[in-house]
Amino acid sequence: MISLTSAVLASAVTFFSCEKCPDRIKISEDGCKAFVNTYRMDAAEKPAMKLRAEHLLERAKPIKHANPMTPLMGWSSWNTFAEHISEEIIVGVAKSMSTNGLKDAGYVYVNIDDGFFNGHGPDGRLRFNPVRFPNGMKGTVDGIHALGMKAGTYSDAGENTCASFGGDKSGVGAGLYGHDAEDCRLHFNELGFDFFKVDYCGGLQKHLEEKKRYFEIAAAIKATGRKDVRLNICRWAFPGTWAADIAGSWRTTRDIRAGWTSIRDIIAENLYLSAYVSPGHFNDLDMLEVGQYKGALKSAFGNSGDIGLTRDEEITHFGMWCIMSSPLVLGCDVRNIPPTTHALVTNPYLIRMNQDPLSQQAYVAFRDGRAYQLVKDAEKRFGTARYVALYNANDSEYTFEVKSRNFDLDGEIAVFDLVKRADIGVFTNATKVTVQPHAARFFLFDAERRLDRRIYEAETAYLTDYSELDESSYGLTDSCQVQCRAYYTEVNGASGGVAVVNLGGRDSNDLIWKNVYFSTDGRRKLVFECASDKVRTMYLSIDGAAPVKLKVADTAGKFVSIRHEVDLSAGVHEIRLFNPWSKIPVIDRMIIN
Ligand code: GLA
């Protein structure tokens, strides 16, 4: 077996783009030969190791469309049309999607965003916009359903919808507030909508309490008897772990724009939210802006400033939404979708990564500044196949050193490039991949062996009280709710640059690694790397067992190791750090030896 790694890493010669190698992997001439040889050898002699991704597709069951357990796929009117919508546009879009391959690829939800209503009438009934929808909404919803697609609707938790703050008066008084029951009956029983995005501009205006309000709305949906309506909480920040009790997805950031800085910042805000994703419950990175190329943008929001995406940025945008298991809601005018965008968004490998049955969001396995290596399991938990992203958010080219151990993989790694739809070779231990500015590569790695994970960063852990809301705006009774909440933040000296601060002080302000997996029974040395500004106590509980007290000295802010040994059986364990009475140290990570 010729190792690509040794050939590539050992040669200090000029790099060039190897014609037969994947685009933009720059390697030496010898490396290129080795790469091609390796590839050929594997193709000829090791069919089981190779083409794992193709096998996955061939053997795998077809993706079930509109599966409530996987991220929603569809289109929304907002990014291109804003409130300038009509039955003709919406049904026209649905028709195009049903014939141009988008529906077949899984994009079955056609979501109508802000602007289709005209306040509530004196009888309390929601009125439809007489200019945009002179025939009401029934024909539009039926038109979508007749195509075998699903229809999505929109409202606000308060009295007024977001567009009404921008001057579209049709949204004044159109919100759900005071109308939950009759509006839900109208949307879901009379009209037959299947998805509900509930915005919060009106909610904010009235200083409503998010959790209470969204639970009321969820109860009104439930009261319609419809069990299949998918709710999206649109509060533009991670609302709290309660969201998963009622919603299929929740917006985590402010509105997307079709520009690089917007895409980059949304990804950055979601990198450390992987712990909150589970089957049927996803972080919503907002509607896609793919298809909006620089200089050729079609949007109701103008065409100036940092606007329009390059091809690399578009691939990064779509691929990162896929590997982070965001809903995939197209926002361009899909009646005229650019062919390159169409090919990207219907790429079966990328879609499978997004719709993976495990419903995991990839986590950051390794970071160097603004260069991130992300990973998530493919199809089987703790198996040998893993999806990997190499994401370069820098404004200059970056060469990733890809080490199989960072992904808990070992032996020969067969690499399939999801965007190129091709096997690109095999490496052992490590290899280098150069990625252009703002670009990302997406792979399926299939390894000979899976290793038990050794490093559990705090930024991949679940914080029970985690929320990005500032509830002080509605005078929450428990003032500690806001000030005492733990959060993920950049900390000097922390591995990966990020740690969790502000833990403890009450029972639920805790940190939990929920999926600590061992393939064998054994004695484990758990090492907690943490920093403290004074002597502190934290409690460790494993699988809910009686807690063990761990004392941490005053480390003057430096990270130190706190050790604990324990026998743990093969299987999945839950490791929790907490202190109901006082603060615990800053937690960087847990290492398992
Ligand atoms: C908010 C939402 C957007 C869109 C608009 C409509 O800004 O975040 O996604 O729905 O409202 O007005």
Side-chain angles (χ1 to χ4, degrees):
M1 174 83 213
I2 303 166
S3 158
L4 165 67
T5 315
S6 47
V8 175
L9 295 185
S11 55
V13 292
T14 14
F15 290 110
F16 76 114
S17 269
C18 172
E19 203 189 291
K20 299 205 174 102
C21 293
D23 219 19
R24 298 207 183 100
I25 292 190
K26 289 189 180 164
I27 60 179
S28 70
E29 192 162 3
D30 286 342
C32 178
K33 277 185 205 137
F35 199 106
V36 175
N37 286 340
T38 305
Y39 172 76
R40 285 215 193 99
M41 205 165 87
D42 266 59
E45 296 167 16
K46 294 185 143 197
M49 270 298 288
K50 178 189 122 54
L51 298 177
R52 166 68 192 228
E54 281 181 19
H55 286 173
L56 261 178
L57 268 195
E58 278 160 20
R59 285 195 319 247
K61 292 188 209 114
I63 290 168
K64 194 175 141 206
H65 289 178
N67 177 1
M69 292 299 128
T70 58
L72 184 138
M73 291 175 68
W75 174 86
S76 165
S77 53
W78 185 254
N79 286 358
T80 295
F81 299 102
E83 66 269 21
H84 312 295
I85 45 178
S86 65
E87 179 166 341
E88 193 196 335
I89 290 175
I90 304 290
V91 177
V93 159
K95 280 190 181 143
S96 294
M97 292 172 80
S98 69
T99 53
N100 71 5
L102 289 176
K103 178 190 163 204
D104 291 342
Y107 297 90
V108 296
Y109 283 83
V110 178
N111 295 343
I112 306 168
D113 209 280
D114 207 340
F116 64 86
F117 26 59
N118 192 28
H120 282 88
D123 55 354
R125 197 171 159 83
L126 186 69
R127 290 185 302 214
F128 302 124
N129 192 295
V131 178
R132 298 171 196 154
F133 291 90
N135 305 316
M137 300 307 291
K138 185 76 180 139
T140 306
V141 181
D142 288 352
I144 295 168
H145 283 158
L147 296 164
M149 302 178 84
K150 305 257 180 202
T153 186
Y154 167 95
S155 191
D156 192 286
E159 283 167 353
N160 307 314
T161 71
C162 290
S164 73
F165 291 82
D168 176 37
K169 295 302 160 220
S170 72
V172 173
L176 286 167
Y177 193 75
H179 301 279
D180 288 355
E182 69 260 35
D183 278 11
C184 284
R185 271 199 301 274
L186 173 69
H187 286 299
F188 306 116
N189 297 129
E190 276 185 49
L191 297 172
F193 278 111
D194 310 289
F195 163 84
F196 202 12
K197 169 174 169 179
V198 181
D199 224 330
Y200 211 71
C201 291
L204 214 54
Q205 184 187 33
K206 284 189 83 66
H207 303 289
L208 302 176
E209 185 185 333
E210 286 89 346
K211 180 176 176 186
K212 183 166 169 282
R213 190 64 196 112
Y214 278 107
F215 268 76
E216 287 166 0
I217 294 163
I221 299 170
K222 195 168 174 212
T224 66
R226 290 276 304 271
K227 294 195 171 67
D228 59 332
V229 173
R230 293 170 78 167
L231 173 64
N232 173 268
I233 294 174
C234 187
R235 178 56 184 85
W236 331 294
F238 183 79
T241 51
W242 53 265
D245 296 337
I246 51 169
S249 59
W250 43 84
R251 268 279 294 286
T252 49
T253 51
R254 279 170 302 161
D255 290 10
I256 195 167
R257 281 178 312 103
W260 167 245
T261 51
S262 171
I263 307 294
R264 181 198 65 195
D265 294 350
I266 289 176
I267 295 170
E269 284 195 53
N270 281 278
L271 285 171
Y272 305 116
L273 297 179
S274 61
Y276 306 102
V277 166
S278 62
H281 308 287
F282 303 97
N283 295 311
D284 172 8
L285 277 61
D286 206 355
M287 302 164 292
L288 292 154
E289 290 284 16
V290 292
Q292 305 283 31
Y293 289 127
K294 269 200 188 315
L297 193 75
K298 294 190 185 68
S299 162
F301 300 101
N303 211 343
S304 60
D306 167 31
I307 282 298
L309 300 173
T310 65
R311 178 69 179 148
D312 273 346
E313 291 163 353
E314 177 183 65
I315 293 171
T316 299
H317 175 17
F318 187 69
M320 291 303 284
W321 265 233
C322 285
I323 200 165
M324 294 174 88
S325 291
S326 172
L328 299 179
V329 181
L330 300 165
C332 64
D333 185 350
V334 289
R335 296 171 302 183
N336 294 303
I337 186 167
T340 42
T341 304
H342 186 279
L344 178 70
V345 301
T346 56
N347 176 320
Y349 301 100
L350 291 171
I351 290 180
R352 185 162 287 278
M353 172 163 74
N354 176 260
Q355 298 286 303
D356 187 88
L358 298 175
S359 296
Q360 296 179 347
Q361 174 173 320
Y363 62 86
V364 179
F366 190 78
R367 174 186 170 196
D368 174 20
R370 281 181 161 190
Y372 302 87
Q373 305 188 27
L374 290 96
V375 69
K376 72 173 188 175
D377 285 343
E379 300 226 333
K380 189 168 167 253
R381 282 175 95 199
F382 316 115
T384 53
R386 308 198 83 188
Y387 290 115
V388 167
L390 305 180
Y391 165 49
N392 179 16
N394 293 295
D395 295 330
S396 52
E397 190 177 273
Y398 180 86
T399 298
F400 287 86
E401 173 132 24
V402 180
K403 293 183 179 158
S404 55
R405 288 202 169 234
N406 286 342
F407 304 110
D408 313 313
L409 299 175
D410 196 24
E412 290 174 356
I413 317 279
V415 181
F416 183 88
D417 185 315
L418 303 179
V419 175
K420 306 223 159 297
R421 310 178 186 210
D423 271 290
I424 58 166
V426 175
F427 74 94
T428 47
N429 298 325
T431 189
K432 288 188 176 182
V433 180
T434 298
V435 178
Q436 298 302 299
H438 306 180
R441 302 289 303 267
F442 300 95
F443 302 114
L444 182 68
F445 280 8
D446 186 25
E448 264 180 298
R449 287 177 297 279
R450 175 71 182 258
L451 304 173
D452 289 353
R453 183 170 164 189
R454 280 194 58 236
I455 296 178
Y456 288 83
E457 293 287 352
E459 55 271 30
T460 64
Y462 182 92
L463 312 179
T464 303
D465 277 356
Y466 188 63
S467 165
E468 293 169 359
L469 303 182
D470 176 4
E471 288 109 339
S472 56
S473 68
Y474 49 75
L476 204 83
T477 43
D478 176 6
S479 62
C480 192
Q481 190 84 21
V482 178
Q483 293 106 19
C484 303
R485 236 164 20 199
Y487 56 96
Y488 313 91
T489 187
E490 304 266 336
V491 174
N492 274 344
S495 83
V498 178
V500 173
V501 303
N502 221 19
L503 283 156
R506 74 197 143 145
D507 196 36
S508 54
N509 196 30
D510 61 358
L511 177 151
I512 311 173
W513 286 286
K514 290 191 168 202
N515 292 302
V516 180
Y517 175 75
F518 300 107
S519 51
T520 54
D521 297 344
R523 185 104 187 130
R524 322 285 171 192
K525 289 185 185 130
L526 310 182
V527 180
F528 298 99
E529 298 202 331
C530 48
S532 194
D533 54 349
K534 59 181 195 179
V535 178
R536 293 190 185 275
T537 302
M538 60 185 182
Y539 295 92
L540 161 70
S541 170
I542 302 178
D543 300 326
V548 177
K549 207 172 181 175
L550 301 175
K551 270 241 177 312
V552 184
D554 178 348
T555 72
K558 285 222 164 62
F559 285 102
V560 296
S561 298
I562 304 295
R563 296 184 165 76
H564 178 74
E565 266 192 52
V566 61
D567 288 320
L568 287 174
S569 58
V572 178
H573 297 275
E574 214 174 88
I575 296 189
R576 174 174 181 238
L577 295 175
F578 66 105
N579 185 335
W581 304 285
S582 58
K583 286 278 160 62
I584 72 173
V586 173
I587 307 293
D588 180 15
R589 60 180 174 171
M590 171 176 69
I591 301 175
I592 297 177
N593 289 322

